[in-house]
Amino acid sequence: MSNIPPIIHKTRTQLVVEALREQILSGDIEGGEPLRQSAIAAQLNVSRIPVREALVQLEAEGLVNFEPHKGATATKLSVEQVTELFELRAMIESDLLAKAIPNLTDEDISEAEAVLVQLELAFKLKESVASWSELNTRFHTRLYEAANRPHTLDVVHGLNTNCDRYIRLQLLFTGGIPTAEREHRILLELCKDRDVQKATDLLRLHILHAADSITKLVEQKIKS
């Protein structure tokens, strides 16, 4: 009897989330398509309350946008966009880190580590998914700021905003969290050691490996 898995009772909101997520990722609901709460509620035979809650959760996962005068729409997923955004990130961020490391102080390292601890705690809570990207950006930013390149950092923040939904997908659905945690810790240690070459090499691979796993996920969902 001890080997029988427990029965998991899913809430209506969870069931709506799973149904809509699969339709968006599979392409049954196309990017930019409006998500009418009344129509979804009728289709899934639920009230509008779990639909509204599900749309908010899917927004946190990066699969839904809420736009003024338009309401909720499905976000567009693109392999080409993943490739371009993440290649740009790998190039710019590794250069920024190389310029930052010689200027890093012990205080910079300590503050970056404090943010990393917050991120590791957030990774353990699915309900904290909306904070993952923000904390991840804060961790990297704390390391990059020492480069004293504010305009380059603005460009990086713009790229991160566009990568946000893809990063969440990777962490949620490709088992990317343990790898991200391990690589962040190693990156921090390399920055502590002021090892520019190894730190920038790791950062570049960290970003490009994420792109590979996201590309495979998006391709799989588009084809299925």
Side-chain angles (χ1 to χ4, degrees):
M1 293 291 288
S2 60
N3 292 327
I4 298 176
I7 296 172
I8 298 173
H9 297 283
K10 295 182 179 179
T11 65
R12 283 185 173 85
T13 298
Q14 287 173 308
L15 292 171
V16 175
V17 165
E18 290 177 6
L20 290 177
R21 182 194 287 136
E22 182 55 37
Q23 288 182 64
I24 293 169
L25 289 175
S26 66
D28 289 340
I29 296 176
E30 296 183 359
E33 185 175 330
L35 299 168
R36 309 292 184 200
Q37 293 184 26
S38 55
I40 294 168
Q43 178 193 354
L44 299 178
N45 195 28
V46 296
S47 73
R48 291 179 63 169
I49 294 173
V51 174
R52 185 165 59 248
E53 292 172 346
L55 291 174
V56 169
Q57 183 174 328
L58 290 168
E59 182 190 29
E61 294 181 13
L63 292 176
V64 167
N65 285 326
F66 281 96
E67 302 176 39
H69 314 299
K70 198 172 179 182
T73 59
T75 56
K76 296 179 181 178
L77 300 173
S78 162
V79 170
E80 292 77 18
Q81 187 180 51
V82 171
T83 301
E84 181 180 6
L85 288 172
F86 282 78
E87 284 182 358
L88 273 171
R89 282 190 57 209
M91 180 172 59
I92 296 171
E93 291 184 42
S94 57
D95 181 65
L96 200 56
L97 185 62
K99 290 179 170 66
I101 286 176
N103 301 329
L104 284 172
T105 65
D106 290 343
E107 183 181 0
D108 293 331
I109 297 291
S110 295
E111 291 181 4
E113 187 162 20
V115 177
L116 186 55
V117 169
Q118 292 180 58
L119 177 58
E120 289 167 344
L121 290 172
F123 275 154
K124 293 176 171 58
L125 303 170
K126 276 286 182 75
E127 60 268 27
S128 297
V129 62
S131 71
W132 291 357
S133 185
E134 179 197 348
L135 289 168
N136 181 67
T137 298
R138 279 175 54 196
F139 167 67
H140 285 279
T141 297
R142 199 65 196 84
L143 297 175
Y144 301 158
E145 282 173 333
N148 298 316
R149 296 291 180 102
H151 296 296
T152 309
L153 199 53
D154 284 344
V155 171
V156 168
H157 287 161
L159 290 170
N160 281 325
T161 298
N162 284 294
C163 289
D164 182 34
R165 67 184 181 276
Y166 294 115
I167 293 170
R168 294 186 198 189
L169 287 173
Q170 180 222 359
L171 294 171
L172 279 166
F173 302 117
T174 69
I177 288 176
T179 300
E181 287 183 319
R182 183 176 65 255
E183 291 179 351
H184 282 151
R185 278 288 163 186
I186 296 171
L187 181 64
L188 187 65
E189 289 303 314
L190 292 171
C191 288
K192 281 182 185 178
D193 295 340
R194 309 306 194 265
D195 192 328
V196 174
Q197 190 62 54
K198 287 184 179 178
T200 53
D201 286 348
L202 174 62
L203 179 61
R204 192 177 296 106
L205 289 174
H206 174 70
I207 294 169
L208 294 178
H209 284 165
D212 286 342
S213 60
I214 295 164
T215 296
K216 288 172 184 172
L217 175 68
V218 174
E219 284 177 337
Q220 173 190 339
K221 291 299 181 181
I222 290 172
K223 289 176 182 176
S224 61

